[in-house]
């Protein structure tokens, strides 16, 4: 039995049919040359041999009586692989757009909470004979960094990895679910522990609040207090900021990682700053097409990890910050500069309070209340009327920079699939993988039916930024070339050589021995 933290359980309590709280990934796969087997059966065998490497595969929820407290994770010793690993065949012609649409539909359905909260779909029927895999895992047990650790359990660095050691057999439990008394006792004990944790963090929270309220000394020694630059408390209203349905639209695109790094290096910005600027430019183009671009700059909610280095535990250790997207700035280079300033201010602010942000907190009696409030918020459509805290969710997850293999097949892409929510109908998540930035855009289909247009604008904005960067590099190189040309022109010209008779010219060009022989003939 393992207790969910307050943050983990929040993803369960705020889940509704309109807002499923699972995350996933879409991978295009390349089968080995000459492959003749059944890849679906290979995937099931592969997962069966790796299930002991990650607790996500075998743990399921045990709900508390009357939902008075957070549920707990318990081991499921009878996982049905035929349910969790499924086969899907796309109808002809099996285009990439059909694949995106099908993944959007799969991502819109709630997961069965009586089972371990993960599902894999092996997809065939793609044009060219390729394969794909879509996976989803509930956010209650995993965040972006934990997802990378989960991938290590099932991915390999070679198509033919060493055999995995078989786990030790454990006797099955007789009871399918825990008893009421056992669950009630666990809830009481966990609630006490949560209060103890909260009390221990109070000094850190007090110091964090003090650092925000009390003026901090400047470099001159005086004390000044100011908000971070470009900080907007609320974002402007856009068509993205509405109550959503459970229908999903999904689109993917890829951009070379080296080109984005080149732009960041030239402009003195981070990789994440350039990614944010690309997303901002795409949104600016999309909303301008519909005459809905707000005069005020849009803002983005950015997940921030709270994990210590090396922590790969399967839970949530994440917070959220808000940054400007500078969509009111037309020039992409100037927009990157504004975003870079906002990013630096947000990092500074988060750094001062990061240690005091709790991920576990008492929640006795809260589950049913949180669930009721989440349902009421969606049904009342308050998101259609309230000003948004942020306009869109943008997340950048670092990944492996080498090719990975799954059940012997090579992963060609690592497209993320994340969560839109009421008030933020679009989620733009980026995963870096093997020299590429893979963008996954998931949205409410009613709010953003043409999400593929935004995906196309991502590529256009990237090319526009890259063209500007290269023109700047060329402009900087031109003065040096002009200076070198001017210096050569200013050098004194060598005196013109006199014309020499053919015989004498031949004598000058001749090697030393031949030249001496010519001179001897002339003296005779």
């Amino acid at each position: 039995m393992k207790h969910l933290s307050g943050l983990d359980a929040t993803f369960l309590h705020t889940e509704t049919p309109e807002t499923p709280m699972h995350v996933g990934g879409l991978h295009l796969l390349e089968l080995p040359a000459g492959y003749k087997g059944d890849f679906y059966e290979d995937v099931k065998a592969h997962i069966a041999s790796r299930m002991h490497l990650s607790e996500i595969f075998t743990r399921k929820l045990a709900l508390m009586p009357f939902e008075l407290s957070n549920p707990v994770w318990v081991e499921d010793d009878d996982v049905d692989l035929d349910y969790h690993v499924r086969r899907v065949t796309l109808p002809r012609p099996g285009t990439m757009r059909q694949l995106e649409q099908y993944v959007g539909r799969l991502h819109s359905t709630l997961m069965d909470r009586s089972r371990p909260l993960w599902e894999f779909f092996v997809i065939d029927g793609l044009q060219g004979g390729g394969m794909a895999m879509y996976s989803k895992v509930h956010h209650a047990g995993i965040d972006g960094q934990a997802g990378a650790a989960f991938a290590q359990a099932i991915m390999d660095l070679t198509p033919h990895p060493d055999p995995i050691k078989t786990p030790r057999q454990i006797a099955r439990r007789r009871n399918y679910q825990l008893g009421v008394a056992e669950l009630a006792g666990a809830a009481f004990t966990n609630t006490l522990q949560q209060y103890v944790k909260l009390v221990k963090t109070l000094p850190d929270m007090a110091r964090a609040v003090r650092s925000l309220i009390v003026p901090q000394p400047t470099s001159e020694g005086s004390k000044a207090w100011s908000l971070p630059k470009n900080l907007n408390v609320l974002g402007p209203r856009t068509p993205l900021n509405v109550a959503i349905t459970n229908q999903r639209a999904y689109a993917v695109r890829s951009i070379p990682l080296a080109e984005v790094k080149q732009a960041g290096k030239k402009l003195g910005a981070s990789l994440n700053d350039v990614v944010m600027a690309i997303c901002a430019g795409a949104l600016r183009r999309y909303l301008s097409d519909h005459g809905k671009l707000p005069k005020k700059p849009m803002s983005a909610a950015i997940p921030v990890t709270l994990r210590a280095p090396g922590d790969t535990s399967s839970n949530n250790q994440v917070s959220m910050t808000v940054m400007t997207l500078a969509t009111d700035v037309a020039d992409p280079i100037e927009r990157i500069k504004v975003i870079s300033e906002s990013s630096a201010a947000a990092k500074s602010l988060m750094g001062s309070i990061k240690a005091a942000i709790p991920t576990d907190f008492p929640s006795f009696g809260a589950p049913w209340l949180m669930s009721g409030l989440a349902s009421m918020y969606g049904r009342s459509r308050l998101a259609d009327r309230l000003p948004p805290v942020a306009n869109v969710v943008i997340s950048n997850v670092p990944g492996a920079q080498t090719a990975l293999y799954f059940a012997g097949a090579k992963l060609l892409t690592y497209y993320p699939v994340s969560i839109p929510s009421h008030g933020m109908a679009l989620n733009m998540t980026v995963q870096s993988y093997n020299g590429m930035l893979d963008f996954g855009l998931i949205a409410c289909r009613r709010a953003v039916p043409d999400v593929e247009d935004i995906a196309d604008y991502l590529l256009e904005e990237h090319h526009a930024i890259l063209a500007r960067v290269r023109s700047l590099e060329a402009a900087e190189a031109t003065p040096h070339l002009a200076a070198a040309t001017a210096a050569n022109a200013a050098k004194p010209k060598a005196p013109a050589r006199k014309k020499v008779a053919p015989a004498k010219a031949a004598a000058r060009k001749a090697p030393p021995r031949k030249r001496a022989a010519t001179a001897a003939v002339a003296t005779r």
Side-chain angles (χ1 to χ4, degrees):
M1 180 189 307
K2 183 178 180 180
H3 294 276
L4 277 75
S5 70
L7 181 58
D8 292 340
T10 298
F11 288 101
L12 292 173
H13 304 328
T14 57
E15 183 174 58
T16 66
E18 295 76 29
T19 57
M21 290 292 173
H22 47 253
V23 292
L26 172 63
H27 311 283
L28 298 181
L29 305 172
E30 180 182 78
L31 297 176
Y35 179 81
K36 298 296 183 182
D38 186 338
F39 187 64
Y40 169 71
E41 294 297 334
D42 288 350
V43 169
K44 284 202 300 181
H46 179 79
I47 296 298
S49 68
R50 306 291 182 98
M51 291 179 64
H52 62 288
L53 299 181
S54 176
E55 60 185 3
I56 291 174
F57 285 119
T58 56
R59 68 185 186 184
K60 64 180 180 180
L61 294 171
L63 304 179
M64 291 294 171
F66 305 106
E67 291 193 67
L68 292 177
S69 186
N70 294 334
V72 295
W73 294 116
V74 296
E75 284 295 311
D76 186 347
D77 53 12
D78 189 21
V79 178
D80 182 3
L81 277 181
D82 289 323
Y83 173 84
H84 289 276
V85 183
R86 308 179 204 173
R87 188 200 305 262
V88 173
T89 299
L90 288 182
R92 291 181 181 181
T95 63
M96 190 64 192
R97 187 70 200 122
Q98 284 178 298
L99 177 61
E100 292 171 331
Q101 292 171 342
Y102 200 87
V103 169
R105 288 195 291 271
L106 291 175
H107 203 67
S108 68
T109 57
L110 294 171
M111 304 185 77
D112 184 352
R113 292 192 183 186
S114 69
R115 303 173 184 265
L117 297 177
W118 64 274
E119 296 173 9
F120 286 1
F121 295 82
V122 179
I123 306 172
D124 57 24
L126 276 69
Q127 282 181 335
M131 301 287 295
M133 183 186 71
Y134 161 69
S135 61
K136 65 179 179 181
V137 182
H138 203 284
H139 211 325
I142 199 170
D143 60 14
Q145 295 296 325
F150 172 62
Q152 292 179 1
I154 58 175
M155 304 297 181
D156 300 301
L157 297 177
T158 66
H160 305 291
D162 295 333
I164 301 296
K165 185 178 180 180
T166 304
R168 182 173 60 89
Q169 295 295 324
I170 301 176
R172 290 188 176 186
R173 293 173 54 94
R174 293 185 178 180
N175 297 328
Y176 179 72
Q177 289 284 8
L178 300 179
V180 174
E182 189 176 2
L183 288 173
F188 178 75
T189 302
N190 186 54
T191 300
L192 290 180
Q193 292 174 347
Q194 288 174 324
Y195 275 111
V196 171
K197 288 181 183 179
L198 183 62
V199 171
K200 288 182 177 179
T201 60
L202 286 178
D204 291 334
M205 295 174 66
R207 282 192 292 269
V209 172
R210 183 177 181 275
S211 69
L212 293 176
I213 297 177
V214 178
Q216 300 298 308
T218 63
S219 57
E220 293 80 12
S222 60
K223 293 186 175 181
W225 187 91
S226 63
L227 289 171
K229 293 181 179 180
N230 307 311
L231 177 64
N232 293 316
V233 178
L234 297 173
R237 289 210 60 81
T238 74
L240 306 178
N241 309 120
V242 294
I244 66 173
T245 69
N246 68 337
Q247 301 177 37
R248 295 291 177 264
Y250 181 61
V252 300
R253 296 294 185 273
S254 294
I255 292 175
L257 178 60
E259 294 180 355
V260 179
K261 286 184 175 180
Q262 176 190 358
K265 183 178 180 181
K266 178 60 185 175
L267 300 174
S270 69
L271 172 69
N272 192 63
D273 294 339
V274 181
V275 169
M276 294 279 291
I278 292 172
C279 294
L283 291 172
R284 176 184 168 86
R285 292 170 184 243
Y286 174 75
L287 293 175
S288 295
D289 285 349
H290 295 80
K292 299 294 184 179
L293 180 66
K295 294 181 179 180
K296 289 179 58 180
M298 296 171 64
S299 59
I302 312 295
V304 179
T305 182
L306 304 177
R307 287 181 180 272
D311 185 351
T312 59
S313 53
S314 300
N315 62 356
N316 285 275
Q317 298 182 48
V318 66
S319 184
M320 193 78 72
T321 188
V322 177
M323 286 174 46
T324 184
L325 290 175
T327 49
D328 58 328
V329 180
D331 183 80
I333 304 303
E334 292 300 319
R335 190 184 312 125
I336 290 177
K337 293 179 181 178
V338 175
I339 289 175
S340 184
E341 291 180 4
S342 177
S343 174
K347 289 177 182 177
S348 177
L349 178 63
M350 183 58 63
S352 63
I353 63 174
K354 183 177 179 179
I357 298 176
T359 58
D360 195 12
F361 37 83
S363 54
F364 187 79
W368 63 271
L369 179 61
M370 293 176 65
S371 298
L373 290 175
S375 179
M376 183 180 69
Y377 180 70
R379 292 176 182 274
S380 63
R381 306 191 68 84
L382 284 174
D384 293 342
R385 296 183 289 275
L386 296 177
V389 175
N391 299 106
V392 62
V393 179
I394 301 178
S395 180
N396 186 6
V397 182
Q401 292 308 307
T402 186
L404 298 176
Y405 295 83
F406 175 73
K410 182 179 180 180
L411 266 71
L412 303 179
T413 65
Y414 216 116
Y415 296 121
V417 196
S418 196
I419 304 172
S421 60
H422 292 303
M424 287 183 282
L426 173 64
N427 183 302
M428 310 172 76
T429 301
V430 190
Q431 174 89 36
S432 60
Y433 169 65
N434 197 23
M436 300 295 290
L437 286 175
D438 289 341
F439 288 75
L441 279 59
I442 186 78
C444 169
R445 191 175 67 85
R446 288 195 178 183
V448 193
D450 44 2
V451 69
E452 65 273 10
D453 289 348
I454 304 178
D456 288 336
Y457 286 145
L458 287 173
L459 301 183
E460 292 184 18
E461 190 66 21
H462 165 66
H463 293 149
I465 292 173
L466 192 62
R468 287 291 305 277
V469 167
R470 289 174 175 170
S471 66
L472 289 175
E473 291 175 341
E476 290 179 357
T478 301
H480 298 295
L481 181 60
T485 304
N488 291 332
K491 288 182 179 179
K493 294 183 179 180
R497 294 184 179 182
K498 295 180 180 180
K499 291 185 178 180
V500 183
K504 293 183 178 180
R508 288 182 180 178
K509 293 181 181 179
R513 289 183 181 178
K514 292 185 177 181
R515 188 179 298 176
T518 304
V521 171
T523 55
R524 286 180 182 175

